[in-house]
Amino acid sequence: MFLLNRKYYLLLIPVMCLIGTVKAFSFPWSFDMWVQPSILPYEEPVIYPDLSVSTTGLRIKPLPREDFENISVNPVPATEGSLAHGEKLFNRYCFVCHGMRGQGDGPVIKRGFYPLNLTTPGVVARTDGYIYAYIRYGGKVMMPSYRESITSEGAWDVVNYVRKLQGNPVRETAVEETPATTDAPATEDTVQESAE
């Protein structure tokens, strides 16, 4: 008799839908995305395990920041390709804070942050290696590290582009004579061979 009466089937459909939706809106489901392993703002990325290899096959462990801050001239020449790549990376990662012309007038100032104007005499006087280290290691106060997003060569391209924004074409193409053996490496990702 139950199988022959269609009223029961019509009543059964809303009951089954209600039971299915109750399971979909269960309590822990709505908070699962909040409780997960992630990198919080201004937190350094997780260090890679020992003996791990990057996707490019180059050395992962970064050298000390001071090794790069002392480099006075960018080892990557300021060619058209370098400047174009540096502009592309600057517009992707740096524009939000520093603005299109590097004057610290990016959209983030609406949120109460006041980033550094890259065209001030104090920044112009800094070495190319210092700007590189700021990009790769982050600032000492607010700027995060872009080591995970910008490659070593890309960071040198951004330095070339920042020098262009500063109106410094002489430093962009200047080539200083350097001794054959230098203690400061040109790029962070190069593999150093041991002399045996």
Side-chain angles (χ1 to χ4, degrees), residues 101-165:
R101 295 180 310 253
Q103 296 177 345
D105 57 353
V108 78
I109 63 171
K110 295 176 185 174
R111 299 284 183 192
F113 295 102
Y114 296 97
L116 188 63
N117 181 347
L118 300 176
T119 61
T120 59
V123 178
V124 172
R126 296 285 187 185
T127 64
D128 290 347
Y130 186 87
I131 298 171
Y132 172 88
Y134 236 77
I135 295 167
R136 295 288 284 175
Y137 292 87
K140 297 180 180 175
V141 178
M142 247 194 205
M143 183 172 158
S145 168
Y146 286 97
R147 186 183 309 125
E148 302 297 321
S149 305
I150 300 176
T151 64
S152 180
E153 291 77 16
W156 286 118
D157 292 341
V158 172
V159 171
N160 282 333
Y161 183 70
V162 167
R163 292 298 187 199
K164 179 183 175 187
L165 290 176

Side-chain angles (χ1 to χ4, degrees), residues 49-185:
D50 288 339
L51 304 175
S52 61
V53 178
S54 69
T55 56
T56 59
L58 299 174
R59 185 168 48 86
I60 290 176
K61 184 177 180 184
L63 296 172
R65 177 186 192 121
E66 294 77 23
D67 289 355
F68 295 102
E69 288 180 351
N70 296 327
I71 298 174
S72 60
V73 176
N74 190 336
V76 176
T79 61
E80 290 296 322
S82 171
L83 292 172
H85 187 240
E87 180 179 11
K88 177 181 158 190
L89 291 173
F90 185 89
N91 290 338
R92 182 179 300 156
Y93 297 108
C94 310
F95 155 74
V96 176
C97 295
H98 297 288
M100 292 299 285
R101 295 180 310 253
Q103 296 177 345
D105 57 353
V108 78
I109 63 171
K110 295 176 185 174
R111 299 284 183 192
F113 295 102
Y114 296 97
L116 188 63
N117 181 347
L118 300 176
T119 61
T120 59
V123 178
V124 172
R126 296 285 187 185
T127 64
D128 290 347
Y130 186 87
I131 298 171
Y132 172 88
Y134 236 77
I135 295 167
R136 295 288 284 175
Y137 292 87
K140 297 180 180 175
V141 178
M142 247 194 205
M143 183 172 158
S145 168
Y146 286 97
R147 186 183 309 125
E148 302 297 321
S149 305
I150 300 176
T151 64
S152 180
E153 291 77 16
W156 286 118
D157 292 341
V158 172
V159 171
N160 282 333
Y161 183 70
V162 167
R163 292 298 187 199
K164 179 183 175 187
L165 290 176
Q166 294 170 343
N168 231 347
V170 176
R171 275 183 88 169
E172 288 175 356
T173 56
V175 178
E176 284 186 9
E177 292 183 20
T178 55
T181 58
T182 58
D183 293 335

